[in-house]
Structure formats: structure tokens, C-alpha cells
Amino acid sequence: MNVHVQDCPVAADVAPKPVRRESGQREVFCGLTGIVWLHRKIQDAFFLVVGSRTCAHLIQSAAGVMIFAEPRFATAIMEEKDLAGLTDANDELDRIVAQLIARRPDIRLLFLVGSCPSEVIKLDLSRAALRLSQKFSPAVRILNYSGSGIETTFTQGEDACLASLVPAAPPTRTSEDQLLIVGSLADVVEDQFIRLFDALGIGRVQFLPPRKASALPAIGPNTRFLLAQPFLADTARALEDRGAVRLAAPFPLGVEGTTAWLRAAADASGVAPALFEAVTQPHRVRAERALLRYRDHLGGRRIFLFPDSQLEIPLARFLSRELSMQLVEVGTPYLHREHLAEELRLLPDDVVLSEGQDVDLQLDRCRMARPDLVVCGLGLANPLEAEGMTTKWSIELVFTPIQGYEQAADLAELFARPLVRRAKLVA
Amino acid sequence: MQLTVWTYEGPPHVGAMRVVTGMEGLHYVLHAPQGDTYADLLFTMIERRDRRPPVTYTTFSARDLGGDTAELFKTAAQNAYDRFKPQTMLVGASCTGSLIQDDPGGLARALHLPIPVVAVDLPAYQRKENWGAAETFYQLVRALAGPSAPAPGTSRPERAAGVPARCNLLGPTALGFRHRDDIVEITSLLTKLGIDVNVTAPMGASPADIARLGEADFNVVLYPEIAGQAASWLQRTFGQPFTKIVPIGVSATREFVAEVAKLAGVDASATLASACTRLPWYSRSVDSTYLTGKRVFIFGDATHAVAAARIASDELGFKVVGLGTYSREFGREIRDAAKRYDVEPLITDDYLEVEAKVAELQPELVLGTQMERHIAKRLGVPCAVISAPVHVQDFPARYAPQMGFEGANVIFDTWVHPLMMGLEEHLLAMFKDDFEFKDGAVPSHLGAGHSTPVADGPVQAPPNASNIAVVWAVDAEKELYKIPFFVRGKARRNTERFANENGVATITIETLYYAKAHYAR
Ligand code: SF4
Ligand code: SF4
């Protein structure tokens, strides 16, 4: 298949693609997992989960082998007596927050993160955050969001976190248009984008989340925002509530996605097409060349994606259009039709999409199809490998720099590696 | 509420999962919110299992809470039965599942499945992982072996002459620290003694095997945290005695051999005489002399911590300066052991408390869990892992038991490895400015890539230590740096304490040596 990255065929009003909706057992992470990368990104923030031992256990299992001198997350584990009376639970929470702030005077922002148990017993963490903010401001600001499994799936934890930051951001001072990039990106990717925007003459670009909680971007009706991640429904709504306007675009995965994403910003800022061409062209050429050898390797291979992060649809678009892979099934935990409209248009017409999950049935379909590569979580990966399938564990896609031109080939490599490995091992 | 940075144990339903995942032919239906399936990857990743754990989660979401979560549970249980056709089903709830009070046991019984259904009620806000494993195993044993129990008061029939004695091996589970190889080691030891293993459980056992537990003559309890409760019940119900000695370490293994030999009525002398263990000779050989009196801090589950203290003190010649456990249920065992080494027992599941204790004691070696590796890294102390919780590197491919005679060999290597080799230690003390073998450098036999000690100056003071307001004279501080780095922290603290107690405001070289003489061991 030839890839025309210059003009995305933005076919207006293609028929909406059918989506299989499933409910049943879901093999996904809860939103608490977002803490594992968010605490690295926002360097002066601390994440205090209010939950059970299960929640504490989840985070430390997800943080895995990292051995920390001083982690910036912790859990206030509820005990029997906290369940009995909510007033006591609030007193306890105040005590723990005071203890924590005394131990970590360097913290500027504290997130009280809700969990299933705290939601089910209706512990009002937003009230607690207000109460505690009054007590500790201006030294520490205290916000709250929910990362519970009953409300959020994996990356939606980041959405909830960023959405809680939006009301805390200052209003814009000038009437000049500003661009806001939303969704946490690896620092190296962020820096590449800053250079590209500079070259395009788009000044005033800010990022949400910022690297420092003390440097929240200003937001107002003159804010144009571009989502860098597909899982930011609530954050987008919160931004729109403050008058900001979303620029529709595919997500910056692969050469095509990155170009279209940058173009959305360029068009909104009135960048001349010639300048856009001049700035992006060398990057596109370089990235496409780097992708070539992966296309040789991956082209024609059949891939099955289990739901995990909502990155699945943009990934599938990249894999099918730029690497010529065949999509067997593309699962997503949640499909935001509006934010993904540009992506959906670029998918092949006969794509099989599924939203939600009944894991046993989905495994049956996967086994039946015997794809060349399965993208799935760590709970399924080794068992499927043992059944003779080749897998790519999906969480890595959230922890690795994959956006932008310079990472396009790295992204392809993530999918090629398990296949190369399988071919290599003789024993 | 308890502020928790790291938790030593997971919630009790993870303990139940460890029992179920270790077994065959059993399925666990867990009423739990979407997201709690994270626990699967403990088994598929950390233990590298090649199958999904036999667990079906209801994975309810907020939307379901308005509706009929009980119906959701029933559907999940029925589907799990239809798909997996287990011999027995275990049902229960996770911490959130228990808050919505759906009674999984009653709901599952209402399905009238043609197999036994065992309900476990695990109080998630009071108890933890090991307790959950113990309770689950106990409930399974009661439910499955109970029906073949003799009438109360019946005495065990005598074993016929010529029939070898049989025992059960109780305690090993999925995700247990070295359980896989401990089973192999102990089974071969029993075989040498002429004792048959009837059933090993939970690991590897099916519900049908559990039903046969009563057929053995006695029980070998490998991990009391998990099998203690079940073994007591088996003793009451079937009159089976059980072993009290856990065979970790050379002496403990010898005593264990004598104990089982007595229970089985066999002669142990041949087995003891032919015991192949290198630890005693390795430890006696002159190369190990420098290990004498190394100050070691020990923390883990009670069984491994108590065993480690004994090995450290009696078999390696270390000095145990701290001993503790997170297994609150086994506080007594730790208190008794602590008396033997004249240290204060530390019984806590609070990671920060353990950290403060290590900082205070300034050991030269920490024997602990994955969590103590965080602490040791921060304080720059060598560390080896002796107990769960552990991460993926402690589920090794090679044979690596902790129990029995081979276990002792493994332990010798593992514990001594992180310490500075003797020669290097001497040279460091004599010549401080070598460009390659630097002061405080990572032991060179560990090569690059190992963490460099970070704490050399005063470590964060433990909460209630005496106030340290004394100052160091410049030359005294210089002198301090001539002391090998791994005992320097201790020397600094001792000198400061000495100065404090003697009203010395400025520490001079003299003070340093007075203190050294004062605390000489
Ligand atoms: S928030 Fe919910 S799903 Fe996540 S670990 Fe806690 S109880 Fe489990
Ligand atoms: S991927 Fe492997 S090493 Fe990393 S956290 Fe999971 S089990 Fe541990």
C-alpha cells in the first residue's frame, strides 16, 4: 500500500464504522495506574491515593522494579474504623495529609486520588481537598480526582488528573491566541515539538501537564488546544468550559499522524503552507526512510489489538497505513467518537472495531484468528505466548516516547521486536 | 487510615489467588471492580506463569452499581463454570466487592452447580495476603477433606508393617518465595529417608488431592504462615501430627530430619551422615574469617526472618543487630528469637518504621524483602533478599531453594555476595586513595551497574534518637574518613553518642578514639 502523507484523504461524512460493543469481564488497569507516569512528569506533585490495601498493592506492582529512594506517591489505606464513620475518616485524612506534608516539604501540589472503596463509601474527597487547601495554602495546593476502577480505565486516570488541574489554571492575560498541547508526553518529545512550533513561527505554546505544578498554563477563550493523547475526554470538556477551543486532528503517531496534527496547529495559527512544507519536509523524509525497513518486516502481517489505553485506534491507523499491517480486530476500552473522528476516517473501511470487553470471548476470537501479532496487557501476554502466539505488551506503549517524527521508527520497532525475537530463538 | 509508601503484603484476596493459582482444577470467582485484574500480572509476569490464573472477576463498574450487581456475580459464576468446568469453585469478594454486600457464597449456591462451592470471607480492611492464603487453604481443606474425616475420638489405625510412612507437604503456593525449589529439595530429602509424599498442597494439588489429605501419617508444614491453620485442623480431625521445624539452614535442616524421622519411625542417621552441604566448610574456611561479627539487620516474614537470624548468627558468625517481621500473627516467634540475640524485636508493617530502624542501627548487611532493597539502596548498605515480597529476579530460572542442604549452599552464596570481599576490604582500609578501588566504591566483584551507596554523611536521624548537636573538628572528621566506609556510619554515630553522653561539644581525634575504645566489642 502506498502512503500519501501529504494529503490526508479527509473524506467528508464517510459512513460511521460499525463497532462491536461488549460487556463482561474486563482485563484492564484502573486509573490509579496513571500515577506511575504522572508523578515522573509533574515533578513537584505528590499523589496520595485514598483507598484500600489493594490500591496500594496495585501501584507498587505497576511501579515494578523501580527502586526508589523517595517515591512521590503513597496510599492512605482505609481501615475498619474509617468505614464505620465518615467524620472519623475525614479526621484521619487530615492527620495523614499533615504528616505527609511535614515529611515532604518540597511538595507544591498534592492530589487526593479517589479509589473504588472511597467512591463506594462516598468519602467526599473534593470537599476534603478544599478544606485542606485552605489549611495549607499557599505553600501547597490540594486537588482531587478519581482513579477508581469503577469509573476509569488505565489512561483515563490521566484524563481525570488533568481535568482537575484545569480549573486551577490561571486565566489568560492577553487576547493573543495561544496554543496548548494537552496530554503528557515524554520530555524529549515535548522538546522536539517545541522546536517544530518555533520553526513554524507558532510562539506561545504551552503544555498540560506542565513539568512543574507551579507553572500551570494560562487558559481562556483565546486558547486553542490540541490533544496529544486520545484519552482526554473530560480534560477537553473542562478546557471548553473555560472557553478554550479544540483543534480537531489525528494523533501524532507516525509520520502521517504527526504531520496532520502539526498542520491543525499551523492552520489555526495561519502558517503559510509553504513554510509548513519547508519546516516539516526534512523530518518527514527522514522518518519515512527510517520506517521503510520496518514496513518490509511488518507489511502484510495480521495484528489483533486488545483494549487497554484508547491508543489502539491511532496505533491501528499507523500500523495499517504506514506499515501496511492487516487489522484483525481493534479493541478499545472506550471510543470517543468526536475526538477520534479524524482517526476513524483514516482506518480501512472493513476494520473490525470493538469497544468494551468480554475477555474470554475476545480471547476465543483471537485464538480463532491466529494473528501474527497480538497487542495485549501483561495479564494475557505470557499465557498467549505459551499458546504459540506472538505478543506485544501494550503498557509499554504508554511508557515509551512514541509520538512525533523522530519516534515513528521507534514505534514501529516496538511491534517488530517480538516478531524478530520469535524468528531468532531456536531453543 | 495508615499512610503507606510500600506494602509488605497485598490484600487477603491476593492470598486466596495464590492458593488457587497454585492448584489445579479449581476456579475462583471474585466479586471485584474493573481494574482488580492487575493481580493477574503478579502471576504471569513476576512468577512468569504460562497460564492465566484460574480467576474470573466480575469487574463491575460505577454504572453497574446502580443496577443488579448480584445478578452480575451470578452470571460471572455460571459462565466461569460453563467455560472452565472446575472440580470445585471458590467464591469471594475483594475489598470493594465486600462493601457492596452481595454475599457471593449464597449467590453461588443458588446456582446449584454440580460441584462443591467454597465461600471465603476475607476481611479486607483488617487482614492481609498471608492471612487470606491461610484462611482460604484452611476453608478448602475443611470443605474437601472434611467429608472423609473419621468420627471424633477414633484413633488413627496403625500403619501396616512394611508400608512406608506417608506425609503431606503443606504450605507452598503460587508466588511464594522459592516455593518451587523448596518442594523439590524437601521431597528428595524425604525420599532419602524412605518417606513417601502423599499430597503436596496447595501447590500442584487438585481438589481431589485435598480430599485425600487425611490418608497421610503426618504433615510437614513448610510455611506456617500459610499452612499452620490447616495443619492444626488436620491434627484435630485426623489425628495427624505436624512438624514444627522449618528446614532453612543447616542446623534447622538436621533437626527437621530428626523430627520427621521420629514422626515416621525411620532411622535418620544415614541421611544425616551423607548430607551434602558445603555451607559449614565454606563458612569455616579462613576466607570467611572476615565475616565474623558483621552486623546484620534481618526483616521478612516470620518464618524466613527467624531462620535467617539463626543461620546468620550460628552458621555464618554474623552479629544480628536487628530482627523483625511484618507477620503480625507471628509476633511471638519473633519476640522469642529476638531474645536469643539480645535485640529488640520489630513487629510492624510500616515500611517507614523499618527504614528508620535500619538508619539507626547502621548494619553492614541487610537481609530482607524487596522493600528493604529500597531502604538499603538509600542508605548505601549491601542487601540480600530472604523473603517475600520479591520481584521478578527472585523467581530465578536456576535451581535455588532456601530449604534443605542445597538451600544452605544457595544461602551462603547469596548473602556473602553483596559484601566486600575480604582482601578488598583490607586494601581499602590501608590505602584510601586508589583511583580504581575507591573509598565507598561498589565492591569491585559486583562490577558496574550496581547502585552506588548514597548515604555516607549523617543519615537521616531516627525519630527518637538523642539530639546530635555536637560538631566535628576538621582533623577528627578527616580521621573518621580513614575508617572503612561500611563501618564509618556506625563509628560516626557511636562517637556522636559518646560525645553527647560525656558533654563533649567538639569532637576531636581524641574523642574519636575514646569512643572507639569505649564501644570496642
Ligand atoms: S481503585 Fe479500584 S480497581 Fe483500582 S486498585 Fe483500587 S480497588 Fe482496585
Ligand atoms: S514488566 Fe517485568 S520487570 Fe517490569 S514490572 Fe512487570 S514483572 Fe516487573
Side-chain angles (χ1 to χ4, degrees):
Chain A
M1 201 212 290
N2 269 325
V3 187
H4 303 282
V5 288
Q6 310 279 2
D7 326 274
C8 308
V10 184
D13 304 321
V14 273
K17 298 193 165 63
V19 179
R20 172 202 287 269
R21 285 214 174 69
E22 274 194 329
S23 61
Q25 179 177 322
R26 291 167 165 238
E27 184 85 17
V28 289
F29 279 127
C30 63
L32 293 187
T33 329
I35 293 170
V36 175
W37 65 90
L38 286 167
H39 89 277
R40 307 304 303 173
K41 184 75 202 178
I42 317 177
Q43 292 156 13
D44 49 359
F46 193 100
F47 294 78
L48 179 66
V49 176
V50 182
S52 63
R53 190 167 301 280
T54 309
C55 310
H57 196 233
L58 160 93
I59 299 178
Q60 87 183 30
S61 310
V65 281
M66 288 194 264
I67 299 185
F68 296 94
E70 200 58 272
R72 288 191 301 271
F73 53 80
T75 309
I77 296 185
M78 296 193 286
E79 294 161 313
E80 198 72 14
K81 60 179 191 306
D82 302 310
L83 302 179
L86 288 177
T87 39
D88 298 349
N90 279 315
D91 291 348
E92 278 290 282
L93 186 58
D94 292 9
R95 178 181 65 79
I96 292 226
V97 168
Q99 185 189 346
L100 186 68
I101 289 175
R103 186 180 154 90
R104 300 296 304 269
D106 52 323
I107 297 167
R108 293 287 156 265
L109 173 63
L110 174 66
F111 287 104
L112 301 179
V113 187
S115 66
C116 304
S118 73
E119 298 292 333
V120 169
I121 67 164
K122 303 216 175 350
L123 184 60
D124 192 340
L125 291 182
S126 61
R127 285 254 302 275
L130 269 179
R131 183 177 68 234
L132 287 160
S133 270
Q134 277 160 9
K135 193 160 153 202
F136 291 101
S137 79
V140 190
R141 166 179 258 160
I142 298 166
L143 297 176
N144 121 278
Y145 72 90
S146 170
S148 76
I150 56 178
E151 291 157 307
T152 59
T153 303
F154 195 29
T155 47
Q156 284 175 332
E158 175 172 333
D159 186 26
C161 173
L162 300 192
S164 80
L165 276 175
V166 172
T172 42
R173 290 263 172 71
T174 63
S175 56
E176 214 181 307
D177 272 4
Q178 358 205 329
L179 181 63
L180 181 66
I181 306 300
V182 189
S184 60
L185 293 167
D187 292 349
V188 55
V189 176
E190 224 173 75
D191 294 343
Q192 289 166 10
F193 284 148
I194 291 174
R195 286 197 296 272
L196 280 167
F197 287 128
D198 272 350
L200 290 169
I202 305 176
R204 307 205 46 81
V205 181
Q206 291 184 291
F207 291 83
L208 183 72
R211 295 183 198 185
K212 291 263 183 203
S214 41
L216 276 177
I219 298 166
N222 52 342
T223 302
R224 303 282 168 272
F225 70 93
L226 200 49
L227 297 179
Q229 301 280 11
F231 43 72
L232 297 171
D234 289 352
T235 308
R237 198 173 317 120
L239 287 165
E240 281 159 0
D241 285 349
R242 293 195 54 177
V245 178
R246 182 177 72 91
L247 304 176
F251 293 90
L253 296 176
V255 180
E256 181 183 37
T258 303
T259 305
W261 188 78
L262 289 171
R263 176 171 286 142
D267 288 352
S269 307
V271 176
L275 177 61
F276 185 82
E277 180 63 22
V279 168
T280 56
Q281 204 251 1
H283 294 273
R284 290 194 320 255
V285 171
R286 184 164 67 201
E288 272 166 27
R289 198 177 314 130
L291 275 179
L292 262 185
R293 73 190 166 102
Y294 293 108
R295 185 165 346 145
D296 288 345
H297 194 78
L298 291 168
R301 306 270 196 143
R302 300 166 64 247
I303 188 164
F304 190 115
L305 296 100
F306 277 75
D308 190 51
S309 62
Q310 299 184 46
L311 279 165
E312 295 81 6
I313 288 175
L315 285 171
R317 180 262 303 157
F318 164 70
L319 294 169
S320 81
R321 294 174 62 90
E322 295 185 44
L323 296 167
S324 308
M325 292 191 83
Q326 286 183 39
L327 307 174
V328 178
E329 176 172 334
V330 182
T332 177
Y334 176 72
L335 175 56
H336 195 295
R337 291 201 157 265
E338 195 192 324
H339 289 179
L340 281 141
E342 283 67 28
E343 292 284 352
L344 290 170
R345 266 178 222 143
L346 296 173
L347 283 179
D349 284 335
D350 56 350
V351 69
V352 176
L353 297 175
S354 62
E355 180 182 9
Q357 186 175 39
D358 185 329
V359 72
D360 286 313
L361 297 182
Q362 196 166 32
L363 281 167
D364 287 346
R365 294 200 294 279
C366 180
R367 291 185 182 110
M368 191 90 93
R370 297 283 319 168
D372 297 304
L373 188 62
V374 183
V375 181
C376 62
L378 290 171
L380 301 178
N382 272 336
L384 287 176
E385 290 278 348
E387 290 180 29
M389 282 187 248
T390 306
T391 63
K392 162 77 220 108
W393 49 287
S394 48
I395 303 153
E396 198 176 14
L397 298 161
V398 178
F399 293 163
T400 313
I402 56 170
Q403 292 81 3
Y405 291 125
E406 313 312 336
Q407 282 68 238
D410 299 346
L411 178 55
E413 207 271 341
L414 288 178
F415 294 92
R417 197 184 306 156
L419 291 163
V420 170
R421 183 164 187 79
R422 178 153 291 245
K424 249 185 137 105
L425 300 183
V426 292
Chain B
M1 280 180 205
Q2 189 196 1
L3 178 62
T4 309
V5 183
W6 301 112
T7 159
Y8 284 98
E9 292 182 74
H13 74 261
V14 169
M17 284 187 70
R18 289 177 49 190
V19 169
V20 174
T21 304
M23 290 179 62
E24 311 277 339
L26 184 67
H27 201 88
Y28 186 19
V29 181
L30 184 64
H31 209 11
Q34 157 177 283
D36 277 357
T37 53
Y38 81 85
D40 281 358
L41 71 91
L42 303 171
F43 300 92
T44 58
M45 295 303 293
I46 295 181
E47 201 182 8
R48 273 185 237 256
R49 287 197 166 246
D50 62 357
R51 270 176 289 170
R52 297 175 66 210
V55 182
T56 293
Y57 307 75
T58 53
T59 58
F60 56 80
S61 63
R63 206 172 342 112
D64 301 313
L65 288 180
D68 195 347
T69 49
E71 200 48 48
L72 192 71
F73 181 87
K74 282 166 83 172
T75 314
Q78 184 67 52
N79 287 347
Y81 174 76
D82 294 343
R83 175 175 287 267
F84 300 105
K85 290 280 176 335
Q87 296 169 34
T88 296
M89 187 181 280
L90 191 74
V91 298
S94 78
C95 55
T96 309
S98 67
L99 292 176
I100 59 178
Q101 301 186 329
D102 272 337
D103 182 23
L107 293 170
R109 271 188 294 277
L111 293 174
H112 301 291
L113 301 175
I115 52 166
V117 172
V118 181
V120 274
D121 191 12
L122 306 172
Y125 298 90
Q126 290 167 2
R127 303 295 193 162
K128 299 192 291 261
E129 179 176 331
N130 280 338
W131 189 91
E135 173 70 11
T136 303
F137 185 47
Y138 163 66
Q139 294 295 350
L140 281 169
V141 169
R142 254 181 51 152
L144 300 168
S148 43
T154 340
S155 57
R156 277 193 82 74
E158 283 288 310
R159 179 157 40 94
V163 176
R166 279 191 300 176
C167 68
N168 301 311
L169 284 192
L170 303 182
T173 62
L175 213 64
F177 176 62
R178 306 295 166 84
H179 289 195
R180 178 196 71 195
D181 298 340
D182 284 347
I183 295 176
V184 177
E185 186 66 19
I186 296 307
T187 304
S188 88
L189 198 56
L190 293 166
T191 309
K192 276 200 200 112
L193 286 163
I195 302 168
D196 286 350
V197 174
N198 178 51
V199 171
T200 300
M203 187 94 110
S206 68
D209 293 328
I210 301 288
R212 298 193 291 114
L213 283 177
E215 294 168 14
D217 300 302
F218 63 97
N219 287 315
V220 169
V221 174
L222 292 183
Y223 309 101
E225 273 90 346
I226 291 159
Q229 205 183 346
S232 304
W233 181 84
L234 287 165
Q235 181 169 42
R236 287 197 303 277
T237 312
F238 290 94
Q240 293 168 322
F242 62 89
T243 57
K244 308 290 184 324
I245 297 165
V246 177
I248 304 178
V250 177
S251 319
T253 302
R254 290 180 164 277
E255 287 165 21
F256 170 83
V257 167
E259 187 186 28
V260 285
K262 192 157 167 239
L263 288 174
V266 298
D267 180 10
S269 47
T271 308
L272 287 174
S274 71
C276 172
T277 165
R278 294 182 199 95
L279 183 144
W281 167 241
Y282 269 56
S283 188
R284 243 179 214 103
S285 70
V286 293
D287 196 51
S288 296
T289 311
Y290 84 108
L291 299 178
T292 316
K294 284 261 180 220
R295 311 173 67 260
V296 54
F297 175 87
I298 300 171
F299 196 85
D301 67 24
T303 300
H304 287 89
V306 171
R310 183 172 180 191
I311 299 169
S313 171
D314 302 355
E315 298 178 16
L316 294 175
F318 294 159
K319 176 165 177 49
V320 177
V321 294
L323 177 62
T325 187
Y326 56 81
S327 318
R328 289 192 175 279
E329 292 88 351
F330 288 72
R332 194 170 52 82
E333 280 80 348
I334 285 286
R335 277 191 287 272
D336 290 350
K339 260 187 228 134
R340 232 170 294 140
Y341 308 106
D342 195 23
V343 295
E344 223 179 286
L346 178 65
I347 298 161
T348 182
D349 56 2
D350 184 347
Y351 167 81
L352 298 175
E353 222 179 293
V354 180
E355 184 186 71
K357 197 73 186 171
V358 177
E360 179 196 328
L361 292 170
Q362 290 280 317
E364 292 163 74
L365 175 67
V366 171
L367 298 175
T369 73
Q370 171 79 3
M371 308 299 131
E372 278 63 53
R373 292 165 51 131
H374 296 258
I375 295 171
K377 176 184 181 185
R378 172 148 183 231
L379 301 176
V381 185
C383 176
V385 170
I386 59 156
S387 160
V390 296
H391 204 65
V392 62
Q393 64 272 42
D394 276 299
F395 287 93
R398 67 175 189 281
Y399 185 54
Q402 297 289 292
M403 292 187 172
F405 294 122
E406 181 59 26
N409 295 339
V410 170
I411 285 173
F412 182 91
D413 290 347
T414 314
W415 297 8
V416 172
H417 177 80
L419 294 168
M420 180 82 57
M421 300 294 243
L423 178 62
E424 193 165 358
E425 180 174 324
H426 283 301
L427 292 179
L428 258 176
M430 286 174 65
F431 312 110
K432 313 229 46 128
D433 294 321
D434 189 284
F435 68 94
E436 188 182 359
F437 302 97
K438 268 191 287 310
D439 188 26
V442 175
S444 69
H445 71 283
L446 298 185
H450 281 254
S451 68
T452 332
V454 283
D456 182 30
V459 243
Q460 161 210 44
N464 41 12
S466 59
N467 63 318
I468 299 164
V470 291
V471 289
W472 284 77
V474 177
D475 54 349
E477 181 110 35
K478 262 200 192 139
E479 195 74 6
L480 178 71
Y481 276 81
K482 295 177 188 163
I483 296 170
F485 73 93
F486 44 85
V487 283
R488 191 181 305 146
K490 177 78 181 165
R492 179 190 286 276
R493 283 189 45 77
N494 277 350
T495 310
E496 285 168 357
R497 178 146 35 113
F498 180 82
N500 256 323
E501 282 165 7
N502 292 281
V504 178
T506 306
I507 295 173
T508 61
I509 296 186
E510 291 300 295
T511 326
L512 182 68
Y513 284 114
Y514 271 124
K516 182 167 188 281
H518 180 81
Y519 289 106
R521 14 176 199 220

